[in-house]
Amino acid sequence: MATQRRIDRARFVIEVAQAIVAEIGADRVGIRISPAHNIQDVWEKDDAETRTSYGALIAGLAQLGLAYLRVLQADPAGDLIQDLRRALGGTFIVNSGFSKMTTRDEAITAVDESIADLIAVGRPAIANPDLVTRWEQGAEENEVDHASVYGPDEREYTDYPFLQG
Ligand SMILES: Cc1cc2nc3c(=O)[nH]c(=O)nc-3n(C[C@H](O)[C@H](O)[C@H](O)COP(=O)(O)O)c2cc1C
């Protein structure tokens, strides 16, 4: 019964994804999930239940051939996340969350160790308009100004400096 409820709960996301795919094509649709990760106190702590919930979701989405699965998880190399990755197929993107800022080394390790195909970057990308160049060169990064990250205006989103020279 409880398992059936969790499978039913996945239906909303699956049907929304189906509708979007029908409009714009599966190659332009991805999904972001955060299993067993504390997001503003929404935190799945029961491993078996988490597996059932996300297993049902991914099984429903797998038939759609989505472009990517993006996961927020402090330990994306763990069994649950890697099993979900295999179940969905396609490009797999990770981000380890707010507790530690994404670093170049973390990104390189994730790809080199086949933990993910790509890494999603938040704050360093906001603070460095040329982050790709900086990571290619191993150059220093601008520090993010946390006070301006969520607004209130265009400041910092438009005036972080590029590398000189
Ligand atoms: C300004 C800002 C807005 C964000 N908005 C979203 C969002 O809408 N949906 C989401 O899943 N994550 C969102 N995130 C979280 C990021 O995807 C990412 O998990 C987080 O920034 C940690 O990665 P980082 O260390 O590279 O910044 C946001 C982060 C920032 C800084």
Side-chain angles (χ1 to χ4, degrees), residues 2 18 25 68 92 120-121 152:
Q18 281 168 340
Y68 68 82
F92 180 59
V121 183

Side-chain angles (χ1 to χ4, degrees), residues 99-153:
S99 57
K100 196 169 55 65
M101 190 108 69
T102 303
T103 63
R104 178 178 181 271
D105 283 351
E106 180 188 352
I108 290 171
T109 302
V111 173
D112 281 356
E113 295 183 358
S114 296
I115 293 165
D117 302 306
L118 297 167
I119 189 152
V121 183
R123 293 161 294 180
I126 292 171
N128 295 276
D130 50 0
L131 185 68
V132 172
T133 306
R134 288 177 195 252
W135 278 13
E136 278 171 353
Q137 297 180 3
E140 277 201 23
E141 294 171 32
N142 299 321
E143 272 187 37
V144 67
D145 170 19
H146 294 278
S148 66
V149 157
Y150 287 98
D153 51 34

Side-chain angles (χ1 to χ4, degrees), residues 59-71:
L61 294 173
Q63 301 147 23
L64 301 178
L66 298 185
Y68 68 82
L69 171 66
R70 183 154 82 97
V71 169

